[in-house]
Amino acid sequence: MGDRWQAEGALEQNPFSTIFGGDSTSRPPPVRSRPAAPQNGFFRSMANFSALHIPHTSNPPDDPASEVLRDYDNLFRIFYNYTPSLDALNIAAAYVQCKSLLALADMYDALDVVGPRVDHHLLQFQSRLWKQIAKYPPSYLKLGYMARSKVIFKEALVHVVGQWPRDLQHLRSQLPEQVLDVIEDKVEELEDMKAKIEGRLFRLSLTTSRGERVTPSNSYLDWTAVSLFRQWLAENTTPPPPPPPSSSTPNTANSNNLPASLRTAPLPPPPANTGRIYRLIGQGGTAYLSHDELKRFLKIRPEDYSRDNLRRFDRRMDELKALAREHVKPLMRNTLELEMGGGIVGYLTCTKVGERDFPWDG
């Protein structure tokens, strides 16, 4: 029995040590009135125990008591100017730990003290952090707000604005009103910029050798190239029309008899995110309206198709694309810390975030 007691006691491992000394699972030794007499097999048990290989074990990571104790331990570490014990290898685990630590600090009105430590810890991940923010921008936007981290908040905000209105319901349920105001202001700024550039794109035209704008009368083929470009732009920047009412929809007379609380108005289509289209225009070349598409278009009217016409049509379309590419350059700026490299996201990342845009400074 003594052998079993010794082995089981030795197999218990500490999940982590605390700032107060000792560990999170240690208990005071039992009180004895006098020392217990050694048993016959004690020395033999200790000899066997010294050769025993004991693997490192820890409490399950999802143990609520362990997590709460870890958060309080880190909170007091920060209060006493010690480094918090946060995961430095796994950024996903570090995010969970920082999130729960900030929630606890918020309960004690200590975000101003805890936030900078969380910010410092996460920024050490560098490129891995930027990639995680790109995957989960709403979550990191809230974390950046709670930690008062300008870098994390800005990075997540650029993603959220570029992807708008994606995750709209989640954002409204998780973020405070002042953060939503910042998002909506930045979305409005981006939409205004896009509207101005879109107007310039629709006004693009080609000129003849005499400097006149092309028309059906002075250069029909060139005018057709301009018309095709405008048609492509309109088709890709305009939201699709709402679907027609189905035959199962009750007639107006019957629906008018229903109480106002039961009437359902058709939902307007969500605003189109045209970032992908502007990205294509920014790339130019064969990214859109490729040579094969132009060839198929000219073949619609057999009398317009010839090799010479196709070469001219292709060349004049390239001129239009070059003009369009210059106009969309302001939208192609990247204000993220994340390096795009060869990959291009399907939304715009040109949102500028200044000092006045951080909601905790106002």
Side-chain angles (χ1 to χ4, degrees), residues 125-301:
F125 287 97
Q126 290 297 310
S127 61
R128 284 187 289 166
L129 175 61
W130 315 140
K131 291 175 183 177
Q132 282 294 105
I133 294 176
K135 290 181 182 179
Y136 313 105
S139 300
Y140 276 92
L141 184 66
K142 182 177 181 180
L143 184 141
Y145 169 73
M146 295 187 69
R148 307 299 191 257
S149 170
K150 294 183 178 181
V151 177
I152 295 176
F153 184 86
K154 169 185 169 293
E155 188 82 358
L157 180 61
V158 173
H159 286 291
V160 168
V161 172
Q163 297 178 23
W164 187 266
R166 179 180 166 185
D167 297 321
L168 178 57
Q169 296 302 323
H170 175 72
L171 291 167
R172 286 178 173 169
S173 63
Q174 295 294 322
L175 296 174
E177 195 66 30
Q178 57 265 39
V179 178
L180 293 174
D181 290 342
V182 173
I183 296 173
E184 291 171 358
D185 289 344
K186 290 300 172 183
V187 169
E188 187 176 350
E189 289 178 13
L190 182 58
E191 290 300 321
D192 288 345
M193 184 189 301
K194 286 162 60 177
K196 292 177 182 177
I197 291 175
E198 186 177 304
R200 295 171 191 163
L201 292 175
F202 274 110
R203 290 193 294 271
L204 283 179
S205 184
L206 297 172
T207 57
T208 65
S209 57
R210 297 187 297 272
E212 300 173 349
R213 283 178 176 269
V214 296
T215 64
S217 58
N218 62 17
S219 182
Y220 177 78
L221 192 66
D222 295 349
W223 174 81
T224 304
V226 174
S227 299
L228 177 61
F229 174 83
R230 291 174 179 172
Q231 170 61 26
W232 178 88
L233 183 63
E235 187 175 328
N236 286 278
T237 57
T238 305
S246 61
S247 57
S248 60
T249 304
N251 58 46
T252 307
N254 292 337
S255 61
N256 288 338
N257 294 330
L258 294 173
S261 59
L262 298 180
R263 297 177 196 167
T264 56
L267 295 174
N273 189 325
T274 54
R276 183 182 65 86
I277 304 304
Y278 290 109
R279 289 283 187 192
L280 294 176
I281 296 174
Q283 292 179 63
T286 58
Y288 66 104
L289 293 176
S290 63
H291 174 80
D292 290 339
E293 292 178 84
L294 301 182
K295 184 177 181 179
R296 286 194 299 268
F297 175 77
L298 282 182
K299 282 186 174 181
I300 294 175
R301 286 169 51 94

